[in-house]
mmCIF file with all atom_site columns, all heavy atoms in Angstrom:
data_model
loop_
_atom_site.group_PDB
_atom_site.id
_atom_site.type_symbol
_atom_site.label_atom_id
_atom_site.label_alt_id
_atom_site.label_comp_id
_atom_site.label_asym_id
_atom_site.label_entity_id
_atom_site.label_seq_id
_atom_site.pdbx_PDB_ins_code
_atom_site.Cartn_x
_atom_site.Cartn_y
_atom_site.Cartn_z
_atom_site.occupancy
_atom_site.B_iso_or_equiv
_atom_site.pdbx_formal_charge
_atom_site.auth_seq_id
_atom_site.auth_comp_id
_atom_site.auth_asym_id
_atom_site.auth_atom_id
_atom_site.pdbx_PDB_model_num
ATOM 1   N N   . LEU A 1 1  ? 0.831   -1.202  0.000  1.00 0.00 ? 292 LEU A N   1
ATOM 2   C CA  . LEU A 1 1  ? 0.000   0.000   0.000  1.00 0.00 ? 292 LEU A CA  1
ATOM 3   C C   . LEU A 1 1  ? 0.868   1.257   0.000  1.00 0.00 ? 292 LEU A C   1
ATOM 4   O O   . LEU A 1 1  ? 1.917   1.297   0.640  1.00 0.00 ? 292 LEU A O   1
ATOM 5   C CB  . LEU A 1 1  ? -0.891  0.022   1.249  1.00 0.00 ? 292 LEU A CB  1
ATOM 6   C CG  . LEU A 1 1  ? -2.018  -0.995  1.318  1.00 0.00 ? 292 LEU A CG  1
ATOM 7   C CD1 . LEU A 1 1  ? -2.664  -0.962  2.692  1.00 0.00 ? 292 LEU A CD1 1
ATOM 8   C CD2 . LEU A 1 1  ? -3.053  -0.742  0.232  1.00 0.00 ? 292 LEU A CD2 1
ATOM 9   N N   . ASN A 1 2  ? 0.414   2.279   -0.713 1.00 0.00 ? 293 ASN A N   1
ATOM 10  C CA  . ASN A 1 2  ? 1.057   3.588   -0.655 1.00 0.00 ? 293 ASN A CA  1
ATOM 11  C C   . ASN A 1 2  ? 0.494   4.305   0.572  1.00 0.00 ? 293 ASN A C   1
ATOM 12  O O   . ASN A 1 2  ? -0.652  4.744   0.567  1.00 0.00 ? 293 ASN A O   1
ATOM 13  C CB  . ASN A 1 2  ? 0.773   4.378   -1.929 1.00 0.00 ? 293 ASN A CB  1
ATOM 14  C CG  . ASN A 1 2  ? 1.351   5.767   -1.882 1.00 0.00 ? 293 ASN A CG  1
ATOM 15  O OD1 . ASN A 1 2  ? 1.994   6.156   -0.914 1.00 0.00 ? 293 ASN A OD1 1
ATOM 16  N ND2 . ASN A 1 2  ? 1.112   6.533   -2.919 1.00 0.00 ? 293 ASN A ND2 1
ATOM 17  N N   . THR A 1 3  ? 1.293   4.387   1.627  1.00 0.00 ? 294 THR A N   1
ATOM 18  C CA  . THR A 1 3  ? 0.794   4.920   2.895  1.00 0.00 ? 294 THR A CA  1
ATOM 19  C C   . THR A 1 3  ? 1.331   6.310   3.218  1.00 0.00 ? 294 THR A C   1
ATOM 20  O O   . THR A 1 3  ? 1.119   6.807   4.309  1.00 0.00 ? 294 THR A O   1
ATOM 21  C CB  . THR A 1 3  ? 1.143   3.953   4.040  1.00 0.00 ? 294 THR A CB  1
ATOM 22  O OG1 . THR A 1 3  ? 2.545   3.707   4.025  1.00 0.00 ? 294 THR A OG1 1
ATOM 23  C CG2 . THR A 1 3  ? 0.392   2.640   3.895  1.00 0.00 ? 294 THR A CG2 1
ATOM 24  N N   . GLY A 1 4  ? 2.019   6.934   2.292  1.00 0.00 ? 295 GLY A N   1
ATOM 25  C CA  . GLY A 1 4  ? 2.470   8.297   2.491  1.00 0.00 ? 295 GLY A CA  1
ATOM 26  C C   . GLY A 1 4  ? 3.968   8.409   2.688  1.00 0.00 ? 295 GLY A C   1
ATOM 27  O O   . GLY A 1 4  ? 4.564   7.639   3.434  1.00 0.00 ? 295 GLY A O   1
ATOM 28  N N   . LEU A 1 5  ? 4.559   9.353   2.019  1.00 0.00 ? 296 LEU A N   1
ATOM 29  C CA  . LEU A 1 5  ? 5.993   9.613   2.087  1.00 0.00 ? 296 LEU A CA  1
ATOM 30  C C   . LEU A 1 5  ? 6.378   10.113  3.475  1.00 0.00 ? 296 LEU A C   1
ATOM 31  O O   . LEU A 1 5  ? 5.747   11.011  4.025  1.00 0.00 ? 296 LEU A O   1
ATOM 32  C CB  . LEU A 1 5  ? 6.382   10.654  1.030  1.00 0.00 ? 296 LEU A CB  1
ATOM 33  C CG  . LEU A 1 5  ? 7.854   10.938  0.857  1.00 0.00 ? 296 LEU A CG  1
ATOM 34  C CD1 . LEU A 1 5  ? 8.580   9.677   0.413  1.00 0.00 ? 296 LEU A CD1 1
ATOM 35  C CD2 . LEU A 1 5  ? 8.063   12.037  -0.153 1.00 0.00 ? 296 LEU A CD2 1
ATOM 36  N N   . GLY A 1 6  ? 7.374   9.485   4.075  1.00 0.00 ? 297 GLY A N   1
ATOM 37  C CA  . GLY A 1 6  ? 7.850   9.900   5.388  1.00 0.00 ? 297 GLY A CA  1
ATOM 38  C C   . GLY A 1 6  ? 6.979   9.435   6.534  1.00 0.00 ? 297 GLY A C   1
ATOM 39  O O   . GLY A 1 6  ? 7.171   9.858   7.671  1.00 0.00 ? 297 GLY A O   1
ATOM 40  N N   . LYS A 1 7  ? 6.015   8.574   6.247  1.00 0.00 ? 298 LYS A N   1
ATOM 41  C CA  . LYS A 1 7  ? 5.103   8.094   7.280  1.00 0.00 ? 298 LYS A CA  1
ATOM 42  C C   . LYS A 1 7  ? 5.393   6.635   7.591  1.00 0.00 ? 298 LYS A C   1
ATOM 43  O O   . LYS A 1 7  ? 5.906   5.904   6.761  1.00 0.00 ? 298 LYS A O   1
ATOM 44  C CB  . LYS A 1 7  ? 3.648   8.195   6.808  1.00 0.00 ? 298 LYS A CB  1
ATOM 45  C CG  . LYS A 1 7  ? 3.163   9.612   6.627  1.00 0.00 ? 298 LYS A CG  1
ATOM 46  C CD  . LYS A 1 7  ? 1.727   9.657   6.150  1.00 0.00 ? 298 LYS A CD  1
ATOM 47  C CE  . LYS A 1 7  ? 0.745   8.974   7.026  1.00 0.00 ? 298 LYS A CE  1
ATOM 48  N NZ  . LYS A 1 7  ? 0.580   9.427   8.379  1.00 0.00 ? 298 LYS A NZ  1
ATOM 49  N N   . ARG A 1 8  ? 5.026   6.213   8.774  1.00 0.00 ? 299 ARG A N   1
ATOM 50  C CA  . ARG A 1 8  ? 5.083   4.788   9.120  1.00 0.00 ? 299 ARG A CA  1
ATOM 51  C C   . ARG A 1 8  ? 3.955   4.068   8.388  1.00 0.00 ? 299 ARG A C   1
ATOM 52  O O   . ARG A 1 8  ? 2.860   4.595   8.256  1.00 0.00 ? 299 ARG A O   1
ATOM 53  C CB  . ARG A 1 8  ? 4.953   4.617   10.626 1.00 0.00 ? 299 ARG A CB  1
ATOM 54  C CG  . ARG A 1 8  ? 6.193   5.161   11.343 1.00 0.00 ? 299 ARG A CG  1
ATOM 55  C CD  . ARG A 1 8  ? 6.112   5.160   12.849 1.00 0.00 ? 299 ARG A CD  1
ATOM 56  N NE  . ARG A 1 8  ? 5.529   3.952   13.387 1.00 0.00 ? 299 ARG A NE  1
ATOM 57  C CZ  . ARG A 1 8  ? 4.752   3.938   14.457 1.00 0.00 ? 299 ARG A CZ  1
ATOM 58  N NH1 . ARG A 1 8  ? 4.477   5.054   15.095 1.00 0.00 ? 299 ARG A NH1 1
ATOM 59  N NH2 . ARG A 1 8  ? 4.273   2.810   14.917 1.00 0.00 ? 299 ARG A NH2 1
ATOM 60  N N   . LYS A 1 9  ? 4.237   2.872   7.922  1.00 0.00 ? 300 LYS A N   1
ATOM 61  C CA  . LYS A 1 9  ? 3.242   2.078   7.187  1.00 0.00 ? 300 LYS A CA  1
ATOM 62  C C   . LYS A 1 9  ? 1.983   1.852   8.016  1.00 0.00 ? 300 LYS A C   1
ATOM 63  O O   . LYS A 1 9  ? 0.874   1.945   7.506  1.00 0.00 ? 300 LYS A O   1
ATOM 64  C CB  . LYS A 1 9  ? 3.813   0.706   6.807  1.00 0.00 ? 300 LYS A CB  1
ATOM 65  C CG  . LYS A 1 9  ? 4.689   0.702   5.605  1.00 0.00 ? 300 LYS A CG  1
ATOM 66  C CD  . LYS A 1 9  ? 3.834   0.719   4.375  1.00 0.00 ? 300 LYS A CD  1
ATOM 67  C CE  . LYS A 1 9  ? 4.639   0.465   3.129  1.00 0.00 ? 300 LYS A CE  1
ATOM 68  N NZ  . LYS A 1 9  ? 3.849   0.757   1.940  1.00 0.00 ? 300 LYS A NZ  1
ATOM 69  N N   . LEU A 1 10 ? 2.176   1.520   9.273  1.00 0.00 ? 301 LEU A N   1
ATOM 70  C CA  . LEU A 1 10 ? 1.054   1.203   10.158 1.00 0.00 ? 301 LEU A CA  1
ATOM 71  C C   . LEU A 1 10 ? 1.313   1.849   11.508 1.00 0.00 ? 301 LEU A C   1
ATOM 72  O O   . LEU A 1 10 ? 2.291   1.540   12.168 1.00 0.00 ? 301 LEU A O   1
ATOM 73  C CB  . LEU A 1 10 ? 0.924   -0.326  10.301 1.00 0.00 ? 301 LEU A CB  1
ATOM 74  C CG  . LEU A 1 10 ? -0.161  -0.847  11.232 1.00 0.00 ? 301 LEU A CG  1
ATOM 75  C CD1 . LEU A 1 10 ? -1.538  -0.341  10.823 1.00 0.00 ? 301 LEU A CD1 1
ATOM 76  C CD2 . LEU A 1 10 ? -0.132  -2.369  11.247 1.00 0.00 ? 301 LEU A CD2 1
ATOM 77  N N   . GLU A 1 11 ? 0.407   2.745   11.897 1.00 0.00 ? 302 GLU A N   1
ATOM 78  C CA  . GLU A 1 11 ? 0.593   3.496   13.135 1.00 0.00 ? 302 GLU A CA  1
ATOM 79  C C   . GLU A 1 11 ? -0.302  3.023   14.274 1.00 0.00 ? 302 GLU A C   1
ATOM 80  O O   . GLU A 1 11 ? 0.027   3.193   15.441 1.00 0.00 ? 302 GLU A O   1
ATOM 81  C CB  . GLU A 1 11 ? 0.332   4.980   12.879 1.00 0.00 ? 302 GLU A CB  1
ATOM 82  C CG  . GLU A 1 11 ? 1.309   5.559   11.855 1.00 0.00 ? 302 GLU A CG  1
ATOM 83  C CD  . GLU A 1 11 ? 0.882   6.914   11.355 1.00 0.00 ? 302 GLU A CD  1
ATOM 84  O OE1 . GLU A 1 11 ? 0.095   6.970   10.393 1.00 0.00 ? 302 GLU A OE1 1
ATOM 85  O OE2 . GLU A 1 11 ? 1.333   7.907   11.948 1.00 0.00 ? 302 GLU A OE2 1
ATOM 86  N N   . LEU A 1 12 ? -1.446  2.426   13.921 1.00 0.00 ? 303 LEU A N   1
ATOM 87  C CA  . LEU A 1 12 ? -2.420  2.060   14.939 1.00 0.00 ? 303 LEU A CA  1
ATOM 88  C C   . LEU A 1 12 ? -3.204  0.835   14.481 1.00 0.00 ? 303 LEU A C   1
ATOM 89  O O   . LEU A 1 12 ? -3.595  0.744   13.317 1.00 0.00 ? 303 LEU A O   1
ATOM 90  C CB  . LEU A 1 12 ? -3.388  3.229   15.173 1.00 0.00 ? 303 LEU A CB  1
ATOM 91  C CG  . LEU A 1 12 ? -4.538  3.019   16.148 1.00 0.00 ? 303 LEU A CG  1
ATOM 92  C CD1 . LEU A 1 12 ? -4.032  2.754   17.560 1.00 0.00 ? 303 LEU A CD1 1
ATOM 93  C CD2 . LEU A 1 12 ? -5.471  4.219   16.123 1.00 0.00 ? 303 LEU A CD2 1
ATOM 94  N N   . ILE A 1 13 ? -3.422  -0.092  15.405 1.00 0.00 ? 304 ILE A N   1
ATOM 95  C CA  . ILE A 1 13 ? -4.310  -1.235  15.183 1.00 0.00 ? 304 ILE A CA  1
ATOM 96  C C   . ILE A 1 13 ? -5.447  -1.121  16.184 1.00 0.00 ? 304 ILE A C   1
ATOM 97  O O   . ILE A 1 13 ? -5.212  -0.885  17.372 1.00 0.00 ? 304 ILE A O   1
ATOM 98  C CB  . ILE A 1 13 ? -3.580  -2.577  15.384 1.00 0.00 ? 304 ILE A CB  1
ATOM 99  C CG1 . ILE A 1 13 ? -2.491  -2.760  14.318 1.00 0.00 ? 304 ILE A CG1 1
ATOM 100 C CG2 . ILE A 1 13 ? -4.575  -3.741  15.356 1.00 0.00 ? 304 ILE A CG2 1
ATOM 101 C CD1 . ILE A 1 13 ? -1.597  -3.967  14.562 1.00 0.00 ? 304 ILE A CD1 1
ATOM 102 N N   . ILE A 1 14 ? -6.670  -1.263  15.693 1.00 0.00 ? 305 ILE A N   1
ATOM 103 C CA  . ILE A 1 14 ? -7.845  -1.280  16.563 1.00 0.00 ? 305 ILE A CA  1
ATOM 104 C C   . ILE A 1 14 ? -8.504  -2.651  16.393 1.00 0.00 ? 305 ILE A C   1
ATOM 105 O O   . ILE A 1 14 ? -8.784  -3.073  15.266 1.00 0.00 ? 305 ILE A O   1
ATOM 106 C CB  . ILE A 1 14 ? -8.847  -0.169  16.200 1.00 0.00 ? 305 ILE A CB  1
ATOM 107 C CG1 . ILE A 1 14 ? -8.188  1.208   16.321 1.00 0.00 ? 305 ILE A CG1 1
ATOM 108 C CG2 . ILE A 1 14 ? -10.090 -0.260  17.099 1.00 0.00 ? 305 ILE A CG2 1
ATOM 109 C CD1 . ILE A 1 14 ? -9.069  2.351   15.833 1.00 0.00 ? 305 ILE A CD1 1
ATOM 110 N N   . LEU A 1 15 ? -8.720  -3.324  17.502 1.00 0.00 ? 306 LEU A N   1
ATOM 111 C CA  . LEU A 1 15 ? -9.414  -4.611  17.460 1.00 0.00 ? 306 LEU A CA  1
ATOM 112 C C   . LEU A 1 15 ? -10.887 -4.407  17.785 1.00 0.00 ? 306 LEU A C   1
ATOM 113 O O   . LEU A 1 15 ? -11.214 -3.792  18.803 1.00 0.00 ? 306 LEU A O   1
ATOM 114 C CB  . LEU A 1 15 ? -8.804  -5.594  18.467 1.00 0.00 ? 306 LEU A CB  1
ATOM 115 C CG  . LEU A 1 15 ? -7.339  -5.970  18.241 1.00 0.00 ? 306 LEU A CG  1
ATOM 116 C CD1 . LEU A 1 15 ? -6.876  -6.935  19.328 1.00 0.00 ? 306 LEU A CD1 1
ATOM 117 C CD2 . LEU A 1 15 ? -7.135  -6.578  16.861 1.00 0.00 ? 306 LEU A CD2 1
ATOM 118 N N   . THR A 1 16 ? -11.756 -4.928  16.931 1.00 0.00 ? 307 THR A N   1
ATOM 119 C CA  . THR A 1 16 ? -13.191 -4.820  17.191 1.00 0.00 ? 307 THR A CA  1
ATOM 120 C C   . THR A 1 16 ? -13.611 -5.745  18.320 1.00 0.00 ? 307 THR A C   1
ATOM 121 O O   . THR A 1 16 ? -14.623 -5.514  18.968 1.00 0.00 ? 307 THR A O   1
ATOM 122 C CB  . THR A 1 16 ? -14.027 -5.133  15.938 1.00 0.00 ? 307 THR A CB  1
ATOM 123 O OG1 . THR A 1 16 ? -13.717 -6.454  15.484 1.00 0.00 ? 307 THR A OG1 1
ATOM 124 C CG2 . THR A 1 16 ? -13.751 -4.118  14.845 1.00 0.00 ? 307 THR A CG2 1
ATOM 125 N N   . HIS A 1 17 ? -12.855 -6.800  18.539 1.00 0.00 ? 308 HIS A N   1
ATOM 126 C CA  . HIS A 1 17 ? -12.925 -7.673  19.706 1.00 0.00 ? 308 HIS A CA  1
ATOM 127 C C   . HIS A 1 17 ? -11.739 -8.622  19.601 1.00 0.00 ? 308 HIS A C   1
ATOM 128 O O   . HIS A 1 17 ? -11.050 -8.650  18.586 1.00 0.00 ? 308 HIS A O   1
ATOM 129 C CB  . HIS A 1 17 ? -14.270 -8.419  19.808 1.00 0.00 ? 308 HIS A CB  1
ATOM 130 C CG  . HIS A 1 17 ? -14.571 -9.363  18.684 1.00 0.00 ? 308 HIS A CG  1
ATOM 131 N ND1 . HIS A 1 17 ? -14.889 -8.941  17.423 1.00 0.00 ? 308 HIS A ND1 1
ATOM 132 C CD2 . HIS A 1 17 ? -14.593 -10.716 18.640 1.00 0.00 ? 308 HIS A CD2 1
ATOM 133 C CE1 . HIS A 1 17 ? -15.121 -9.986  16.648 1.00 0.00 ? 308 HIS A CE1 1
ATOM 134 N NE2 . HIS A 1 17 ? -14.936 -11.089 17.371 1.00 0.00 ? 308 HIS A NE2 1
ATOM 135 N N   . GLU A 1 18 ? -11.477 -9.367  20.662 1.00 0.00 ? 309 GLU A N   1
ATOM 136 C CA  . GLU A 1 18 ? -10.216 -10.114 20.693 1.00 0.00 ? 309 GLU A CA  1
ATOM 137 C C   . GLU A 1 18 ? -10.330 -11.595 20.364 1.00 0.00 ? 309 GLU A C   1
ATOM 138 O O   . GLU A 1 18 ? -9.442  -12.361 20.705 1.00 0.00 ? 309 GLU A O   1
ATOM 139 C CB  . GLU A 1 18 ? -9.533  -9.904  22.046 1.00 0.00 ? 309 GLU A CB  1
ATOM 140 C CG  . GLU A 1 18 ? -9.028  -8.479  22.177 1.00 0.00 ? 309 GLU A CG  1
ATOM 141 C CD  . GLU A 1 18 ? -8.019  -8.306  23.280 1.00 0.00 ? 309 GLU A CD  1
ATOM 142 O OE1 . GLU A 1 18 ? -6.974  -8.968  23.224 1.00 0.00 ? 309 GLU A OE1 1
ATOM 143 O OE2 . GLU A 1 18 ? -8.292  -7.523  24.192 1.00 0.00 ? 309 GLU A OE2 1
ATOM 144 N N   . HIS A 1 19 ? -11.361 -12.016 19.669 1.00 0.00 ? 310 HIS A N   1
ATOM 145 C CA  . HIS A 1 19 ? -11.387 -13.406 19.206 1.00 0.00 ? 310 HIS A CA  1
ATOM 146 C C   . HIS A 1 19 ? -10.214 -13.633 18.260 1.00 0.00 ? 310 HIS A C   1
ATOM 147 O O   . HIS A 1 19 ? -9.819  -12.733 17.517 1.00 0.00 ? 310 HIS A O   1
ATOM 148 C CB  . HIS A 1 19 ? -12.705 -13.724 18.506 1.00 0.00 ? 310 HIS A CB  1
ATOM 149 C CG  . HIS A 1 19 ? -13.865 -13.855 19.442 1.00 0.00 ? 310 HIS A CG  1
ATOM 150 N ND1 . HIS A 1 19 ? -15.162 -13.862 19.000 1.00 0.00 ? 310 HIS A ND1 1
ATOM 151 C CD2 . HIS A 1 19 ? -13.928 -13.999 20.789 1.00 0.00 ? 310 HIS A CD2 1
ATOM 152 C CE1 . HIS A 1 19 ? -15.981 -13.997 20.033 1.00 0.00 ? 310 HIS A CE1 1
ATOM 153 N NE2 . HIS A 1 19 ? -15.254 -14.074 21.134 1.00 0.00 ? 310 HIS A NE2 1
ATOM 154 N N   . PHE A 1 20 ? -9.655  -14.849 18.272 1.00 0.00 ? 311 PHE A N   1
ATOM 155 C CA  . PHE A 1 20 ? -8.420  -15.131 17.548 1.00 0.00 ? 311 PHE A CA  1
ATOM 156 C C   . PHE A 1 20 ? -8.515  -14.873 16.045 1.00 0.00 ? 311 PHE A C   1
ATOM 157 O O   . PHE A 1 20 ? -7.520  -14.515 15.417 1.00 0.00 ? 311 PHE A O   1
ATOM 158 C CB  . PHE A 1 20 ? -7.956  -16.565 17.809 1.00 0.00 ? 311 PHE A CB  1
ATOM 159 C CG  . PHE A 1 20 ? -8.774  -17.612 17.092 1.00 0.00 ? 311 PHE A CG  1
ATOM 160 C CD1 . PHE A 1 20 ? -8.307  -18.176 15.913 1.00 0.00 ? 311 PHE A CD1 1
ATOM 161 C CD2 . PHE A 1 20 ? -9.992  -18.034 17.594 1.00 0.00 ? 311 PHE A CD2 1
ATOM 162 C CE1 . PHE A 1 20 ? -9.056  -19.140 15.248 1.00 0.00 ? 311 PHE A CE1 1
ATOM 163 C CE2 . PHE A 1 20 ? -10.735 -18.991 16.939 1.00 0.00 ? 311 PHE A CE2 1
ATOM 164 C CZ  . PHE A 1 20 ? -10.271 -19.551 15.765 1.00 0.00 ? 311 PHE A CZ  1
ATOM 165 N N   . ASP A 1 21 ? -9.697  -15.009 15.449 1.00 0.00 ? 312 ASP A N   1
ATOM 166 C CA  . ASP A 1 21 ? -9.815  -14.762 14.010 1.00 0.00 ? 312 ASP A CA  1
ATOM 167 C C   . ASP A 1 21 ? -9.765  -13.271 13.677 1.00 0.00 ? 312 ASP A C   1
ATOM 168 O O   . ASP A 1 21 ? -9.568  -12.897 12.524 1.00 0.00 ? 312 ASP A O   1
ATOM 169 C CB  . ASP A 1 21 ? -11.083 -15.403 13.444 1.00 0.00 ? 312 ASP A CB  1
ATOM 170 C CG  . ASP A 1 21 ? -12.358 -14.941 14.117 1.00 0.00 ? 312 ASP A CG  1
ATOM 171 O OD1 . ASP A 1 21 ? -12.370 -14.817 15.363 1.00 0.00 ? 312 ASP A OD1 1
ATOM 172 O OD2 . ASP A 1 21 ? -13.351 -14.716 13.404 1.00 0.00 ? 312 ASP A OD2 1
ATOM 173 N N   . HIS A 1 22 ? -9.879  -12.414 14.679 1.00 0.00 ? 313 HIS A N   1
ATOM 174 C CA  . HIS A 1 22 ? -9.770  -10.965 14.490 1.00 0.00 ? 313 HIS A CA  1
ATOM 175 C C   . HIS A 1 22 ? -8.421  -10.422 14.959 1.00 0.00 ? 313 HIS A C   1
ATOM 176 O O   . HIS A 1 22 ? -8.035  -9.327  14.567 1.00 0.00 ? 313 HIS A O   1
ATOM 177 C CB  . HIS A 1 22 ? -10.889 -10.237 15.254 1.00 0.00 ? 313 HIS A CB  1
ATOM 178 C CG  . HIS A 1 22 ? -12.224 -10.426 14.629 1.00 0.00 ? 313 HIS A CG  1
ATOM 179 N ND1 . HIS A 1 22 ? -12.826 -9.459  13.863 1.00 0.00 ? 313 HIS A ND1 1
ATOM 180 C CD2 . HIS A 1 22 ? -13.068 -11.486 14.642 1.00 0.00 ? 313 HIS A CD2 1
ATOM 181 C CE1 . HIS A 1 22 ? -13.999 -9.910  13.437 1.00 0.00 ? 313 HIS A CE1 1
ATOM 182 N NE2 . HIS A 1 22 ? -14.164 -11.141 13.901 1.00 0.00 ? 313 HIS A NE2 1
ATOM 183 N N   . SER A 1 23 ? -7.731  -11.170 15.811 1.00 0.00 ? 314 SER A N   1
ATOM 184 C CA  . SER A 1 23 ? -6.508  -10.629 16.428 1.00 0.00 ? 314 SER A CA  1
ATOM 185 C C   . SER A 1 23 ? -5.278  -11.520 16.259 1.00 0.00 ? 314 SER A C   1
ATOM 186 O O   . SER A 1 23 ? -4.242  -11.235 16.825 1.00 0.00 ? 314 SER A O   1
ATOM 187 C CB  . SER A 1 23 ? -6.756  -10.403 17.922 1.00 0.00 ? 314 SER A CB  1
ATOM 188 O OG  . SER A 1 23 ? -7.031  -11.635 18.571 1.00 0.00 ? 314 SER A OG  1
ATOM 189 N N   . GLY A 1 24 ? -5.371  -12.569 15.477 1.00 0.00 ? 315 GLY A N   1
ATOM 190 C CA  . GLY A 1 24 ? -4.303  -13.558 15.387 1.00 0.00 ? 315 GLY A CA  1
ATOM 191 C C   . GLY A 1 24 ? -2.953  -13.038 14.932 1.00 0.00 ? 315 GLY A C   1
ATOM 192 O O   . GLY A 1 24 ? -1.918  -13.566 15.327 1.00 0.00 ? 315 GLY A O   1
ATOM 193 N N   . MET A 1 25 ? -2.936  -12.012 14.108 1.00 0.00 ? 316 MET A N   1
ATOM 194 C CA  . MET A 1 25 ? -1.659  -11.475 13.601 1.00 0.00 ? 316 MET A CA  1
ATOM 195 C C   . MET A 1 25 ? -1.165  -10.272 14.410 1.00 0.00 ? 316 MET A C   1
ATOM 196 O O   . MET A 1 25 ? -0.173  -9.642  14.051 1.00 0.00 ? 316 MET A O   1
ATOM 197 C CB  . MET A 1 25 ? -1.801  -11.078 12.125 1.00 0.00 ? 316 MET A CB  1
ATOM 198 C CG  . MET A 1 25 ? -1.891  -12.254 11.168 1.00 0.00 ? 316 MET A CG  1
ATOM 199 S SD  . MET A 1 25 ? -0.382  -13.249 11.116 1.00 0.00 ? 316 MET A SD  1
ATOM 200 C CE  . MET A 1 25 ? 0.788   -12.086 10.439 1.00 0.00 ? 316 MET A CE  1
ATOM 201 N N   . LEU A 1 26 ? -1.819  -9.960  15.515 1.00 0.00 ? 317 LEU A N   1
ATOM 202 C CA  . LEU A 1 26 ? -1.459  -8.774  16.288 1.00 0.00 ? 317 LEU A CA  1
ATOM 203 C C   . LEU A 1 26 ? 0.002   -8.779  16.719 1.00 0.00 ? 317 LEU A C   1
ATOM 204 O O   . LEU A 1 26 ? 0.719   -7.797  16.512 1.00 0.00 ? 317 LEU A O   1
ATOM 205 C CB  . LEU A 1 26 ? -2.377  -8.613  17.501 1.00 0.00 ? 317 LEU A CB  1
ATOM 206 C CG  . LEU A 1 26 ? -2.115  -7.392  18.384 1.00 0.00 ? 317 LEU A CG  1
ATOM 207 C CD1 . LEU A 1 26 ? -2.252  -6.099  17.587 1.00 0.00 ? 317 LEU A CD1 1
ATOM 208 C CD2 . LEU A 1 26 ? -3.055  -7.393  19.583 1.00 0.00 ? 317 LEU A CD2 1
ATOM 209 N N   . ALA A 1 27 ? 0.474   -9.848  17.312 1.00 0.00 ? 318 ALA A N   1
ATOM 210 C CA  . ALA A 1 27 ? 1.858   -9.894  17.806 1.00 0.00 ? 318 ALA A CA  1
ATOM 211 C C   . ALA A 1 27 ? 2.852   -9.686  16.674 1.00 0.00 ? 318 ALA A C   1
ATOM 212 O O   . ALA A 1 27 ? 3.804   -8.903  16.803 1.00 0.00 ? 318 ALA A O   1
ATOM 213 C CB  . ALA A 1 27 ? 2.126   -11.215 18.522 1.00 0.00 ? 318 ALA A CB  1
ATOM 214 N N   . LYS A 1 28 ? 2.651   -10.354 15.551 1.00 0.00 ? 319 LYS A N   1
ATOM 215 C CA  . LYS A 1 28 ? 3.585   -10.239 14.421 1.00 0.00 ? 319 LYS A CA  1
ATOM 216 C C   . LYS A 1 28 ? 3.565   -8.832  13.827 1.00 0.00 ? 319 LYS A C   1
ATOM 217 O O   . LYS A 1 28 ? 4.620   -8.261  13.525 1.00 0.00 ? 319 LYS A O   1
ATOM 218 C CB  . LYS A 1 28 ? 3.239   -11.283 13.349 1.00 0.00 ? 319 LYS A CB  1
ATOM 219 C CG  . LYS A 1 28 ? 4.242   -11.362 12.246 1.00 0.00 ? 319 LYS A CG  1
ATOM 220 C CD  . LYS A 1 28 ? 5.570   -11.880 12.760 1.00 0.00 ? 319 LYS A CD  1
ATOM 221 C CE  . LYS A 1 28 ? 6.550   -12.135 11.640 1.00 0.00 ? 319 LYS A CE  1
ATOM 222 N NZ  . LYS A 1 28 ? 7.869   -12.483 12.133 1.00 0.00 ? 319 LYS A NZ  1
ATOM 223 N N   . LEU A 1 29 ? 2.398   -8.250  13.679 1.00 0.00 ? 320 LEU A N   1
ATOM 224 C CA  . LEU A 1 29 ? 2.304   -6.895  13.125 1.00 0.00 ? 320 LEU A CA  1
ATOM 225 C C   . LEU A 1 29 ? 2.924   -5.870  14.066 1.00 0.00 ? 320 LEU A C   1
ATOM 226 O O   . LEU A 1 29 ? 3.565   -4.920  13.614 1.00 0.00 ? 320 LEU A O   1
ATOM 227 C CB  . LEU A 1 29 ? 0.852   -6.545  12.797 1.00 0.00 ? 320 LEU A CB  1
ATOM 228 C CG  . LEU A 1 29 ? 0.226   -7.362  11.670 1.00 0.00 ? 320 LEU A CG  1
ATOM 229 C CD1 . LEU A 1 29 ? -1.247  -7.023  11.518 1.00 0.00 ? 320 LEU A CD1 1
ATOM 230 C CD2 . LEU A 1 29 ? 0.960   -7.157  10.355 1.00 0.00 ? 320 LEU A CD2 1
ATOM 231 N N   . LYS A 1 30 ? 2.755   -6.060  15.361 1.00 0.00 ? 321 LYS A N   1
ATOM 232 C CA  . LYS A 1 30 ? 3.387   -5.151  16.328 1.00 0.00 ? 321 LYS A CA  1
ATOM 233 C C   . LYS A 1 30 ? 4.907   -5.276  16.250 1.00 0.00 ? 321 LYS A C   1
ATOM 234 O O   . LYS A 1 30 ? 5.621   -4.276  16.334 1.00 0.00 ? 321 LYS A O   1
ATOM 235 C CB  . LYS A 1 30 ? 2.890   -5.420  17.748 1.00 0.00 ? 321 LYS A CB  1
ATOM 236 C CG  . LYS A 1 30 ? 1.469   -4.891  17.956 1.00 0.00 ? 321 LYS A CG  1
ATOM 237 C CD  . LYS A 1 30 ? 1.126   -4.765  19.395 1.00 0.00 ? 321 LYS A CD  1
ATOM 238 C CE  . LYS A 1 30 ? 1.884   -3.603  19.961 1.00 0.00 ? 321 LYS A CE  1
ATOM 239 N NZ  . LYS A 1 30 ? 1.444   -3.131  21.238 1.00 0.00 ? 321 LYS A NZ  1
#
């Protein structure tokens, strides 16, 4: 994704709830 020059690719993750199918990649992405 083109996320902006000089910006971090991903700045914030919001979980709609913590079931594993919604949050399974959280540790790796962090």
Side-chain angles (χ1 to χ4, degrees):
L292 290 172
N293 177 1
T294 54
L296 186 62
K298 293 180 58 61
R299 292 174 42 216
K300 280 281 190 192
L301 178 57
E302 298 167 274
L303 177 63
I304 295 172
I305 301 174
L306 298 179
T307 58
H308 63 289
E309 290 197 60
H310 287 166
F311 74 100
D312 57 318
H313 288 258
S314 63
M316 288 295 295
L317 181 59
K319 188 66 173 173
L320 294 175
K321 285 197 72 165

